[in-house]
Amino acid sequence: MRLSLVRRTSAEFVGTALLVTAVVGSGIAAARLSPGDVGLQLLENAIATAFALGALILIFGPVSGAHLNPVVSAVDWWLGRRSGTGLTGPNLAAYGAAQATGAIAGAVLANLMFDLPATTWSQTDRTGANLWLAEVVATAGLVVLVFALARTGRTTTAPAAVGAYIGAAYWFTSSTSFANPAVTVGRTVSDTFAGIAPTSVPGFVIAQLVGGLLAVAALAAWYPDAGRAADAVLMPPLAQESETP
């Protein structure tokens, strides 16, 4: 069991790190390639992030489920706790720690690849009720999508579906769809196109947690037995298929 958890959390760490590297790195590249055209910069950033997310789910889904998001992991634990599926409490804590530290490491990696200081606090303020509302919507939609795919046995479509959702949410939400507390924290240490000021983080994280709660309520109404499929989020982890040595 111990080796299995190490295997899964290492996948969550690296997967979340590479996700943030894709977000921050493509943001830096977009700002340099298309100076003065914010719309084009956002398009470049969104496309790179969507494609990278799909690829990361393919890589890490069979190992850890490729949650890469503390809200997804928390809902997985909550829905699966009664049926004995999904993450246990200690596993949830380990996943959350791996995702948060991985996100910071990913931002540092992106900064270094573009010859920037390893860490610089972002000065980009992202605050206001409209942005918080956008984060509630983006996070709730993401979580409902993930668990709907698991419940209906369509996890093989998760890479394309989740990547497409995030790519679209870049454009239909005013916050550009962070929808992930770990990614939000990671983006504070890069003062670039994709950054967010540390003072803006609490509002975003609270909104994301509210979105997760709304998703739980929606799933209770639309997929009342979603908890039985918690082991399949986002893809069935191989490590959970054989816990015995």
Side-chain angles (χ1 to χ4, degrees), residues 97-189:
Q99 291 156 354
T101 53
I104 295 171
V108 170
L109 176 59
N111 289 337
L112 293 176
M113 287 197 299
F114 285 90
D115 197 27
L116 296 173
T119 59
T120 304
W121 292 119
S122 175
Q123 303 300 312
T124 304
D125 290 318
R126 302 177 188 264
T127 187
N130 63 312
L131 299 182
W132 301 332
L133 175 60
E135 282 301 291
V136 171
V137 171
T139 308
L142 173 63
V143 173
V144 169
L145 170 62
V146 165
F147 284 87
L149 292 174
R151 173 60 186 84
T152 56
R154 294 176 294 166
T155 54
T156 55
T157 67
V162 174
Y165 176 83
I166 291 299
Y170 257 84
W171 290 91
F172 72 73
T173 64
S174 58
S175 63
T176 67
S177 183
F178 285 47
N180 185 328
V183 169
T184 303
V185 171
R187 290 165 72 164
T188 63
V189 297

Side-chain angles (χ1 to χ4, degrees), residues 20 42 45 49 65 72 74 89 110 140 178 192 204 212 228 242:
V20 175
L42 184 61
N45 190 207
T49 300
V72 172
F178 285 47
T192 58
F204 265 56
R228 290 189 296 178
S242 59

